[in-house]
Amino acid sequence: MFAVMAPVTGASASAFAGARPATAARRTAASSSGRAVAMVVRASTPNVNAAAAAAPAAVTTKVARNPNMGKLQAGYLFPEINRIKNAHLKNKPDAKMISLGIGDTTEPIPAVIVSGMVDAAAALGTMEGYGKIGGYGAEQGVGALREKLAEKFYPGLVKSDEIFVSDGSKCDISRMQMLFGPGRNIAVQDPSYPAYVDSSVINGSSTTFDPVSKQYGNIAYLACNAENNFFPDLSGAKNSEIIFFCSPNNPTGAAATRAQLTELVAHAKATGSIIIFDAAYAIYIDNPDCPKTIYEIPGADECAIETCSFSKYAGFTGLRLGWTVVPEKLKFADGSSVRTDWNRLMCTAFNGASNVAQAGGLACLSDAGFAAMMELVQFYKENARILKKTFDDMGYSTYGGSDAPYVWVSFDGRDSWEVFTEIMNKCDIVVTPGAGFGPAGDGFIRCSAFGHRENILEAAERLKKSFAKTK
């Protein structure tokens, strides 16, 4: 016979770990939060009722929770939006939802790129093919891919051995936190991609959250708005060691000019800080005055790391393939090599990107693959133009949408979560509330151009009917 501990729910459920008697089996039950909760099932005892009565209401381990996790506010932005969308669908099961929210690609990966991955996958099923590309690969990435990345995106600027292929920029951002360690002074654009702040908090580089300013302590929030052409006053980062900077910016869609990036690099060199430059949307830049890599700026190789990804280039959001550039010239305060430490960390924390995904990356960088990839990018850029024109015609102030796949729309200071909710309720459209990207984002929404063309056009019509300022 067995005595089973009652399911634990609520806050105690998340802390529940279960005792470990000499003979015990583990089962799971769903808690009120929907998570699986481990329960311990004791071996047969002489007195089942006595054993049940003696069992504690909740059993914990000796392991204290990481206090930095407790500092995080609510959930990560995009899963929260998805949760709200699902609740909306539960109330309106027949609603035809259109997502302009999370920046997830929607169009098929071009056939020439898929073909490269199919061939690689098929090769893994043969003795000869497996011998060539099977098994563990180099943690830094396939040599041919590193060479092609240097040739296509950094000609004359970056060497192939300074490029580290990975499973994407978001993953590398968290690994960079490991590289630099806790207790760093961090600066971020405000608004910006929430992973910069959240990973800094988790890593122990912030103090408590201030509900009034909606900011974490020890993180410098550098306001980017129309008044400063979406380039911040860098004096706010005078004490920062690490500066996260994204161009084109997610969410505003603003691409930094050559003069602005020159100022950023000069600031980093003068203060001794390191820039983490997120170029995830660089391929969307058309403006010749806006560099597609920070290494176009002289001296950037002495103060900047750049990270990029195939996610929004070729639809690899689920395949996971990206890269990070760590220049040989980049040094820590003691003169030691940042690149050497990054290589050591990658060898410890990463087993290398999927060999099939890397074959897809090589196919992307072939002449035919690159042309197909650019055609896909142009498709999303046209979606952005449609959305931008829609809001412009409706009488709203809009930003981005030309050098980026995002349109940043001002709702004249209204609470952005209220606008998000109103658009969902009236139009069955999901957007992203600007406040989710930082306090300076409140009063705005972000609209993503990643969508089927028919959905983008339908969304435009729905928005015009419910939210047009001008008739």
Side-chain angles (χ1 to χ4, degrees):
M1 293 186 295
F2 296 88
V4 181
M5 294 172 61
V8 183
T9 60
S12 59
S14 62
F16 183 80
R20 291 184 179 271
T23 53
R26 297 179 70 82
R27 295 181 182 174
T28 59
S31 76
S32 60
S33 65
R35 288 174 291 188
V37 178
M39 296 188 300
V40 172
V41 185
R42 287 186 180 276
S44 177
T45 61
N47 188 330
V48 174
N49 292 332
V59 178
T60 63
T61 68
K62 295 179 180 179
V63 180
R65 184 188 186 196
N66 179 347
N68 298 315
M69 294 300 297
K71 296 175 186 176
L72 293 171
Q73 302 299 299
Y76 187 67
L77 175 62
F78 299 111
E80 281 295 299
I81 288 174
N82 197 51
R83 181 185 62 78
I84 295 168
K85 181 193 79 172
N86 290 337
H88 178 81
L89 280 171
K90 187 174 182 180
N91 293 329
K92 293 178 65 177
D94 296 327
K96 183 190 174 186
M97 298 296 295
I98 296 176
S99 178
L100 306 178
I102 185 170
D104 194 1
T105 50
T106 57
E107 305 310 294
I109 297 171
V112 64
I113 298 172
V114 172
S115 178
M117 292 186 284
V118 169
D119 290 346
L124 292 173
T126 69
M127 188 66 73
E128 181 182 1
Y130 195 88
K132 288 181 179 179
I133 66 170
Y136 290 124
E139 291 88 351
Q140 302 83 0
V142 171
L145 178 55
R146 299 171 81 189
E147 290 169 5
K148 273 291 185 182
L149 286 166
E151 175 188 324
K152 282 287 186 181
F153 297 122
Y154 310 100
L157 299 173
V158 169
K159 296 181 296 184
S160 62
D161 64 359
E162 296 174 310
I163 296 174
F164 294 77
V165 178
S166 71
D167 51 350
S169 291
K170 185 177 183 181
C171 305
D172 277 350
I173 286 165
S174 288
R175 285 189 279 259
M176 286 179 212
Q177 297 284 5
M178 294 173 63
L179 174 74
F180 293 115
R184 297 295 186 175
N185 293 321
I186 304 291
V188 298
Q189 291 162 291
D190 181 16
S192 65
Y193 184 42
Y196 309 147
V197 169
D198 284 9
S199 63
S200 297
V201 173
I202 293 170
N203 194 51
S205 290
S206 76
T207 55
T208 56
F209 181 78
D210 180 1
V212 177
S213 67
K214 296 182 172 60
Q215 297 180 351
Y216 289 94
N218 206 47
I219 295 178
Y221 290 73
L222 309 177
C224 299
N225 49 51
E227 288 69 33
N228 60 19
N229 293 318
F230 295 97
F231 186 79
D233 177 0
L234 295 173
S235 65
K238 63 181 182 295
N239 296 319
S240 300
E241 297 169 275
I242 308 297
I243 302 172
F244 284 97
F245 196 95
C246 181
S247 179
N249 176 267
N250 175 16
T252 67
T257 65
R258 191 171 305 278
Q260 290 171 338
L261 291 184
T262 298
E263 182 181 342
L264 177 64
V265 168
H267 169 88
K269 295 192 74 173
T271 59
S273 53
I274 292 178
I275 301 161
I276 296 177
F277 190 79
D278 187 345
Y281 306 97
I283 203 168
Y284 288 82
I285 294 175
D286 283 333
N287 186 341
D289 190 41
C290 296
K292 294 183 179 181
T293 169
I294 197 167
Y295 300 118
E296 290 185 32
I297 308 302
D301 56 353
E302 298 174 341
C303 64
I305 294 171
E306 181 168 301
T307 186
C308 200
S309 167
F310 282 103
S311 288
K312 309 303 167 58
Y313 285 30
F316 277 30
T317 50
L319 277 167
R320 309 307 307 150
L321 187 68
W323 66 92
T324 288
V325 180
V326 186
E328 186 178 348
K329 289 184 179 180
L330 186 62
K331 308 295 182 183
F332 287 111
D334 64 359
S336 60
S337 168
V338 176
R339 177 179 169 276
T340 297
D341 279 9
W342 180 251
N343 182 69
R344 179 67 176 83
L345 187 147
M346 292 295 280
C347 289
T348 299
F350 188 55
N351 265 339
S354 157
N355 42 28
V356 173
Q358 289 189 80
L362 276 167
C364 287
L365 301 178
S366 68
D367 290 343
F370 199 83
M373 188 167 67
M374 289 306 302
E375 186 176 341
L376 189 59
V377 167
Q378 290 304 319
F379 175 87
Y380 291 127
K381 283 175 68 69
E382 179 61 23
N383 281 354
R385 284 188 281 269
I386 292 168
L387 290 172
K388 184 176 178 69
K389 186 176 187 305
T390 296
F391 281 103
D392 286 342
D393 292 348
M394 289 162 57
Y396 291 86
S397 296
T398 65
Y399 308 93
S402 55
D403 292 311
Y406 299 121
V407 181
W408 189 239
V409 186
S410 171
F411 271 74
D412 303 319
R414 286 188 59 193
D415 181 285
S416 61
W417 280 101
E418 288 182 3
V419 175
F420 160 83
T421 302
E422 185 178 354
I423 291 174
M424 182 179 289
N425 289 338
K426 288 184 176 180
C427 302
D428 295 328
I429 292 173
V430 178
V431 295
T432 307
F437 298 98
D442 205 14
F444 294 81
I445 61 167
R446 189 197 75 173
C447 291
S448 166
F450 296 110
H452 302 311
R453 181 62 51 77
E454 61 269 24
N455 286 347
I456 297 295
L457 294 171
E458 172 65 20
E461 292 305 311
R462 292 185 197 178
L463 289 164
K464 289 175 185 176
K465 288 179 183 177
S466 298
F467 286 92
K469 291 182 178 182
T470 56
K471 302 296 183 183

